[in-house]
């Protein structure tokens, strides 16, 4: 089984965290054959943590997980903190293949989306 | 003249702010006829501020500005702070038409980008 874990920073505002959880549901609905399970996790301020999110996927039978940072810039969270959290679970469950995908802001398609939003075409 | 002001939160990390400025350059290169001028501004921690970014555009001869929030969730910054900063310049320069575009996270295309990143297709 393949899993996708969408990782966000986490907010004191419950609505912002719910927006991330809702996005994970949309990803699951659109994932088709690519992923059997999609869930969300948070670096701080909201549950589950990244290790707990990964552990839940592994308990559900996922053997390959892609961790996808829902972040706009390659700051400390993306470069250091998220890999560190992922490595905790890599050490616990070395049989599970955990891959880190590029963060959202790294996508060249962001430029087109922004121009669409700015032009009222979205 | 039409201007586009990309508004980000601003970071203590200079590289993150430069990433936003670089994105504004890419937007300008891709904007074609849609915008004559594209610049970036920051809510806090980096320069220029949103009012100063708008004032520079107006001094350059821009009569219509679109403000585009480079944010992932509809938190306080998007809902309250950015409109408040924009209103300062609306009051100063009522002849300039300033429009607030939806924030990046509001775009339904984000789902497709994320799935592309997660599948290594981006």
């Amino acid at each position: 089984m393949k899993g996708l874990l969408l990782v966000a920073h986490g907010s004191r505002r419950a609505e912002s965290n719910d927006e991330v959880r809702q996005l994970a549901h949309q990803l699951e609905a659109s994932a088709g054959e690519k992923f059997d399970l999609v869930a969300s996790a948070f670096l701080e301020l909201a549950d589950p943590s990244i290790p707990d999110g990964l552990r839940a996927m592994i308990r559900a039978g996922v053997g390959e997980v892609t961790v996808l940072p829902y972040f706009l810039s390659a700051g400390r969270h993306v470069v250091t903190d998220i890999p560190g959290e992922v490595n905790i679970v890599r050490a616990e469950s070395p049989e599970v293949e955990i891959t880190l995908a590029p963060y959202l802001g790294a996508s060249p398609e962001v430029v087109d989306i922004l121009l669409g939003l700015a032009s009222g075409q979205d």
Side-chain angles (χ1 to χ4, degrees), chain A:
Chain A
M1 269 174 73
K2 286 189 183 182
L4 173 60
L5 189 67
L6 180 71
V7 169
H9 184 277
S11 169
R12 285 187 185 79
R13 250 181 104 254
E15 296 90 332
S16 293
N17 302 324
D18 287 341
E19 216 176 325
V20 173
R21 294 179 184 114
Q22 178 59 34
L23 180 57
H25 289 303
Q26 289 177 261
L27 285 169
E28 191 162 62
S30 303
E33 308 282 298
K34 290 177 187 163
F35 296 101
D36 304 293
L37 198 63
V38 181
S40 51
F42 300 90
L43 191 57
E44 48 189 58
L45 302 169
D47 290 322
S49 68
I50 298 170
D52 283 349
L54 287 170
R55 288 173 191 134
M57 284 212 157
I58 293 166
R59 275 198 307 274
V62 168
E64 292 176 43
V65 191
T66 300
V67 174
L68 180 58
Y70 189 53
F71 282 73
L72 289 176
S73 72
R76 180 173 48 84
H77 293 320
V78 166
V79 174
T80 307
D81 299 343
I82 294 175
E85 300 279 288
V86 167
N87 283 340
I88 294 171
V89 181
R90 279 189 178 131
E92 287 173 7
S93 303
E95 75 287 2
V96 177
E97 191 184 316
I98 308 180
T99 308
L100 255 172
Y103 65 101
L104 174 61
S107 169
E109 293 178 56
V110 165
V111 169
D112 291 333
I113 291 198
L114 290 173
L115 281 176
L117 289 170
S119 313
Q121 292 168 358
D122 206 65

